[in-house]
Amino acid sequence: MRLLEYEGRLLLQEADITVPNGEVARTPREAKSIAERLGGSAVVKAQVPVGGRGKAGGIKVVHNPDEAEGSAAGLIGTKLKGETISKLLTVEAVEIETEFYLSVILDRAKKGPVIIFSPEGGVDIEEVADRNPEKIFKVEPDPLIGLQPFMIREIIYRAHTSQEVFKPLYKVIQKLYNAYRRFGATLMEINPLALTTKGELVALDSKVKIDDDSGAMSEVQELLPESEKTGDKTELERQANQIGLQYVELDGDIGIIGNGAGLVMSTLDVLSEKGGQPANFLDLGGGADSELMSKAFEIVTAKEGLTGVFINIFGGLTRCDEVASGLVEALSTKEIDLPVVVRLTGTNEKAGRDILREHNIPPANTLDEGANKIIQRSQEVR
Ligand code: GDP
Ligand code: MN
């Protein structure tokens, strides 16, 4: 998961790294009032998931609240590097003395974290790597032993930074590394890490990527503001996540429900191979009861333009009879005029099939048969 600047900033703050005061605005008026609260001068920053916003015109330094409003009006709703701007982080402007670059990144080849520091911050690190490779300093802490003090000292000494920044820089490196570990990040980048004219080190930008499989994911979600937890998910994805299910939107016209990621993936593959096009898929997970199945069916069929639904269940923890009754329940409460093909096998298979037959939903015997059937019947709908 890639976080937007203002989201990554929340993690930096949580790690006790200084960031400039500021708030997110969704309208020019909000940007204006935030600038007022900040005392007039401010930086208005487009929140889009791409780098190089400054050069592309997405970062505006303004000198009074009216200018903040004007800049915001010029940004909101427009596209920056292909991304529509809907939010602006409006922060106090700081006077920069020097811009540093600092990041902790997961190096897949080395199978561990690398800390990268450069006294030439503010520009893309790739650019520094091209022009001044000798200005990039790295250390590779052993993730089991942790970041050793000598490593932090080494990186700072080699970079020849001024005496006054040694202590604050030492602390920021330590805090950033700890945050990287704590939040299960694969990248935490501060560029620029600015030394202000007041001698303070402030994180003026953030780029954070969190490993989706990290155990810290829930903690990260907790830290993000309520309205943002859903990221860029669709309404149906959100609904599914709320009841603990994984749902993914695709471009075709046949809805898919299965249980277990592997089974769902192979169902998609078999259907596609036979010329069918999945519209979406929902993974029921293990042990779903009839109520969950019923909700799952509602979510999958809420997508517009469906020509059929294919349900493929391998009963283990999940009982086939529960799935069948959930489906029947959903079909009885909501009028869904779509062909539905169900393949059930495993735990309570017979009971499940009996329920289906009672309601005139003939079960398919195999995945192949089911896939052929739904493709055939969905073509009749079209
Ligand atoms: P990016 O271009 O997407 O990396 O966006 P940044 O947040 O890094 O902003 C780009 C540049 O704007 C920075 O490198 C700074 O030079 C400048 N900038 C950002 N915030 C401030 C600020 O508070 N004061 C000043 N003077 N410049 C800033
Ligand atoms: Mn930046």
Side-chain angles (χ1 to χ4, degrees), residues 245-312:
L245 302 178
Q246 285 304 319
Y247 170 89
V248 174
E249 299 262 3
L250 299 167
D251 298 328
D253 55 357
I254 298 175
I256 307 277
I257 298 174
N259 62 322
L263 184 71
V264 171
M265 291 303 141
S266 39
T267 308
L268 295 173
D269 285 352
V270 170
L271 190 81
S272 309
E273 199 182 82
K274 292 177 183 299
Q277 261 137 32
N280 53 18
F281 66 81
L282 191 144
D283 181 356
L284 269 185
D289 59 8
S290 63
E291 197 188 328
L292 197 64
M293 173 60 201
S294 167
K295 282 186 183 146
F297 188 76
E298 275 174 29
I299 291 172
V300 164
T301 53
K303 174 151 178 165
E304 278 173 35
L306 286 198
T307 60
V309 182
F310 183 30
I311 300 168
N312 187 19

Side-chain angles (χ1 to χ4, degrees), residues 159-325:
H160 290 289
T161 55
S162 66
Q163 194 62 39
E164 53 160 356
V165 292
F166 182 92
K167 234 179 165 176
L169 189 54
Y170 184 102
K171 284 194 185 142
V172 173
I173 294 175
Q174 204 167 36
K175 286 172 183 172
L176 191 68
Y177 181 78
N178 290 341
Y180 167 93
R181 297 287 295 172
R182 169 178 165 195
F183 296 124
T186 55
L187 172 70
M188 280 197 129
E189 182 188 84
I190 304 175
N191 186 26
L193 172 66
L195 175 66
T196 67
T197 48
K198 289 180 191 150
E200 231 193 329
L201 273 182
V202 182
L204 286 196
D205 189 10
S206 84
K207 183 172 173 187
V208 174
K209 287 182 188 167
I210 303 292
D211 180 351
D212 291 337
D213 297 323
S214 148
M217 201 57 176
S218 56
E219 192 192 351
V220 172
Q221 299 276 1
E222 282 298 307
L223 288 170
L224 302 185
E226 195 62 41
S227 58
E228 309 306 330
K229 278 181 194 172
T230 50
D232 52 2
K233 285 176 183 158
T234 67
E235 175 60 25
L236 293 176
E237 281 170 345
R238 219 170 43 72
Q239 284 178 20
N241 292 167
Q242 266 170 4
I243 53 171
L245 302 178
Q246 285 304 319
Y247 170 89
V248 174
E249 299 262 3
L250 299 167
D251 298 328
D253 55 357
I254 298 175
I256 307 277
I257 298 174
N259 62 322
L263 184 71
V264 171
M265 291 303 141
S266 39
T267 308
L268 295 173
D269 285 352
V270 170
L271 190 81
S272 309
E273 199 182 82
K274 292 177 183 299
Q277 261 137 32
N280 53 18
F281 66 81
L282 191 144
D283 181 356
L284 269 185
D289 59 8
S290 63
E291 197 188 328
L292 197 64
M293 173 60 201
S294 167
K295 282 186 183 146
F297 188 76
E298 275 174 29
I299 291 172
V300 164
T301 53
K303 174 151 178 165
E304 278 173 35
L306 286 198
T307 60
V309 182
F310 183 30
I311 300 168
N312 187 19
I313 299 297
F314 191 91
L317 279 177
T318 309
R319 291 164 39 183
C320 293
D321 56 329
E322 287 283 330
V323 172
S325 9

Side-chain angles (χ1 to χ4, degrees), residues 10-25:
L10 291 168
L11 301 192
L12 296 182
Q13 265 180 308
E14 180 68 19
D16 196 32
I17 292 170
T18 309
V19 299
N21 290 324
E23 289 169 57
V24 174

Side-chain angles (χ1 to χ4, degrees), residues 117-120 123 125-137:
F117 174 76
S118 175
E120 305 276 313
V123 291
I125 193 70
E126 290 81 10
E127 219 170 285
V128 184
D130 279 347
R131 279 198 240 139
N132 306 89
E134 76 288 352
K135 292 278 178 63
I136 295 178
F137 304 92

